[in-house]
Amino acid sequence: MRTSHRSEKLEQAFAALSANYRGTDIDLHAVCRDRRMKSPVVAGDFMNSIGVPTHAGANHGNQTFALFKYDDVKHVLQDSATFTSGFIARGLGSFFSADGLIIIAMDGEPHRAARGLLQPVFAPNAMLPWRSLIEHQIRDEFILPLVPDKRADLLDFGLYFPIRVIYGLIGFPDDELGNFYEYAAMGLSILAGPQLDPIKEAESRERAMKATNTLYEAVLALVKRRRAEGAPGDDLVCRLLRAEFEGRKLDDHEITTFARSMVAAGGETTTRTFSSIMTLLLQRPELVERIRNDRSLVPKLIDESVRFEPVSTVKVRQAARDVEIRGVHIPKGAMVQCVVASANRDEEIFDNSDTFNIDRRQKPSFTFGFGPHMCVGQYLAKMELSIAINAILDLFPNIRLDPDCPAPEITGSMLRGASTVPVIWD
Ligand code: HEM
């Protein structure tokens, strides 16, 4: 696994995605603090103003507003009847599914029905049977072989393990893993599809469409095989083949579309989150020791890290009717950008909100979303992260930042994370 797990295409696609959503080099948290204090509801496209492509081509002519306060973001994400997600099917979603079969872009009854089928598959207790397999994948395949080296860039495996886990869960045979990194690279190129420049957008859409079709064919073949076998296993595809909600089951196309979307939904989000958690932890050597000696603190480390540095800083909705927020009129059809990075640090909700403190009494933050669309894969993501952190603390004695390399930095306006986390151990 150790030398064979690298994929140049995947590393390039990850870097291209980071560059596409990196945005302007600003102090995002300082900008958000200023908006929270002075103008918590702002007319205008906040994402574009920080150099990030949003829904280019999909929503020309719609007014856009940005929200910076916790309560406003919570209200919008919770009220999915007033603040809808359907527009995503015309923007990013069209890269994934020509027929709009993408759960984050569903509203109302179709969304409720899709959640009813998926949620039990990813519920906390449904994760337990997967735990030892995932532990083996992350710990034994990726981390253990590095021990003798006494030095690594944590991103060298942080980029790979979430994809490897999804690959295993979907139920692909182990010997085709190399191909899957190529598929994952394609998935990332889909995410890098939206561009500020419409010509670039057309080019990247063509590339993304090819990628999405290749991935679809690979997953569909597996789904058909598993159905023919009678869905005997506990992998994701078999679970989805057996899933039933209010008398309805999923067809091959639905299962394929969902399994394929997991590569994009659960891959680089987990990677970037891992990079931020490890950066925040390693910047505090006394915290490394504390958590090494008390592993019950790992979930607190994860919760506080995702509050402090959410991987995706903004979630967007569309107003289904005229509404007013803090006295600002938001007309029907307007786009509403919920600035999660700001809401997660709202000083009215979190004491000393700009301080990283794993001992704070956690209230829900919005890094995994909120309300009906809240991340289906959050328990899986947290389980993977916890396994990786524990394995690192077990296997890399006295792990610390590599003094001979530049210190890791969490950057990005829209997608945040560290691009390298160089470490050494004894
Ligand atoms: C640290 C890693 C992750 C983060 C930060 C994250 C974040 C999010 C967020 C913020 C949403 C809500 C989107 C919205 O409201 O529009 C979401 C939805 C979703 N996530 Fe995750 N996610 C992560 C990992 C995963 C994984 C591992 C999976 C794999 C199953 C996954 C699957 C999904 C799905 C299917 C949805 C759509 C749910 C819906 O629309 O009802 N995510 N995620």
Side-chain angles (χ1 to χ4, degrees):
M1 175 61 61
R2 166 168 195 195
T3 44
S4 61
H5 82 248
R6 304 292 289 263
S7 155
E8 209 174 304
K9 275 194 188 152
L10 181 60
E11 291 180 18
Q12 281 166 0
F14 183 76
L17 183 64
S18 310
N20 197 40
Y21 289 104
R22 180 186 170 87
T24 320
D25 278 319
I26 48 159
D27 179 347
L28 180 75
H29 295 298
V31 171
C32 289
R33 194 181 315 124
D34 188 62
R35 298 280 165 92
R36 275 196 308 278
M37 303 290 176
K38 297 185 186 147
S39 47
V41 183
V42 183
D45 189 327
F46 177 65
M47 286 211 260
N48 276 194
S49 78
I50 56 174
V52 171
T54 51
H55 30 76
N59 297 287
H60 280 313
N62 289 323
Q63 261 188 289
T64 300
F65 296 81
L67 311 179
F68 293 87
K69 293 287 285 179
Y70 185 97
D71 287 344
D72 299 337
V73 166
K74 183 177 174 188
H75 169 71
V76 167
L77 294 181
Q78 202 158 29
D79 182 358
S80 60
T82 308
F83 301 98
T84 58
S85 298
F87 71 94
I88 298 172
R90 300 188 296 280
L92 182 63
S94 67
F95 287 89
F96 283 98
S97 163
D99 53 9
L101 196 66
I102 172 168
I103 186 167
I104 49 164
M106 289 178 182
D107 292 313
E109 184 48 33
H111 181 253
R112 191 189 72 86
R115 288 288 295 211
L117 282 155
L118 290 183
Q119 213 154 286
V121 172
F122 291 99
N125 61 354
M127 293 298 102
L128 295 178
W130 285 345
R131 191 180 173 97
S132 62
L133 175 69
I134 294 177
E135 195 153 34
H136 166 71
Q137 290 163 346
I138 295 178
R139 194 183 170 103
D140 302 344
E141 292 182 12
F142 286 97
I143 300 182
L144 199 56
L146 293 174
V147 171
D149 289 3
K150 299 189 178 179
R151 113 179 6 241
D153 179 348
L154 296 182
L155 261 283
D156 281 351
F157 64 86
L159 176 58
Y160 292 90
F161 77 76
I163 297 164
R164 201 280 174 252
V165 167
I166 290 168
Y167 177 85
L169 287 186
I170 288 178
F172 281 115
D174 274 0
D175 57 355
E176 286 167 25
L177 182 58
N179 289 344
F180 199 67
Y181 289 134
E182 307 284 298
Y183 298 147
M186 296 172 188
L188 289 186
S189 69
I190 299 172
L191 282 179
Q195 302 279 328
L196 286 172
D197 172 350
I199 296 171
K200 267 195 181 170
E201 166 133 348
E203 288 165 6
S204 86
R205 173 174 287 263
E206 202 186 313
R207 273 199 312 275
M209 282 317 204
K210 269 195 202 136
T212 191
N213 290 339
T214 310
L215 193 50
Y216 182 90
E217 292 306 326
V219 182
L220 181 66
L222 182 75
V223 173
K224 284 185 185 300
R225 204 157 68 229
R226 290 284 181 269
R227 193 185 285 283
E229 291 162 1
D234 195 35
D235 56 56
L236 177 79
V237 165
C238 288
R239 282 188 185 188
L240 290 173
L241 280 164
R242 294 195 299 265
E244 191 169 335
F245 181 66
E246 295 175 349
R248 200 178 96 73
K249 299 187 91 165
L250 292 161
D251 65 26
D252 288 358
H253 172 58
E254 289 169 320
I255 294 174
T256 303
T257 307
F258 175 71
R260 180 185 57 176
S261 74
M262 263 185 70
V263 184
E268 60 91 29
T269 46
T270 309
T271 292
R272 279 181 221 277
T273 301
F274 171 71
S275 76
S276 293
I277 295 174
M278 292 313 298
T279 301
L280 291 164
L281 176 64
L282 292 160
Q283 284 167 344
R284 296 165 177 80
E286 70 300 339
L287 190 59
V288 176
E289 272 326 290
R290 206 180 138 207
I291 296 180
R292 188 197 300 283
N293 294 323
D294 180 359
R295 302 307 174 82
S296 71
L297 297 174
V298 169
K300 286 181 181 234
L301 169 70
I302 296 173
D303 285 349
E304 175 64 351
S305 301
V306 300
R307 177 195 75 83
F308 199 70
E309 286 294 4
V311 50
S312 168
T313 60
V314 180
K315 287 278 150 274
V316 187
R317 296 290 188 263
Q318 184 167 31
R321 58 179 173 82
D322 286 8
V323 283
E324 204 173 276
I325 300 180
R326 286 181 200 263
V328 176
H329 176 72
I330 297 183
K332 178 178 175 178
M335 309 310 296
V336 180
Q337 298 177 342
C338 299
V339 186
V340 165
S342 175
N344 280 4
R345 291 196 185 202
D346 188 334
E347 34 291 285
E348 280 193 279
I349 305 295
F350 300 99
D351 292 339
N352 300 315
S353 59
D354 281 328
T355 304
F356 180 77
N357 173 15
I358 69 158
D359 298 311
R360 69 171 64 249
R361 248 187 79 212
Q362 278 300 345
K363 299 180 183 124
S365 75
F366 303 118
T367 299
F368 286 102
F370 197 79
H373 285 278
M374 187 149 189
C375 181
V376 160
Q378 65 174 309
Y379 303 109
L380 173 61
K382 286 180 184 172
M383 187 164 89
E384 288 178 47
L385 291 166
S386 154
I387 287 170
I389 295 163
N390 275 303
I392 287 170
L393 292 175
D394 287 344
L395 298 171
F396 296 169
N398 194 19
I399 184 175
R400 55 207 182 271
L401 292 175
D402 186 342
D404 296 332
C405 296
E409 235 188 308
I410 299 169
T411 56
S413 295
M414 162 72 192
L415 283 183
R416 282 182 79 72
S419 52
T420 65
V421 186
V423 294
I424 54 172
W425 58 90
D426 295 337

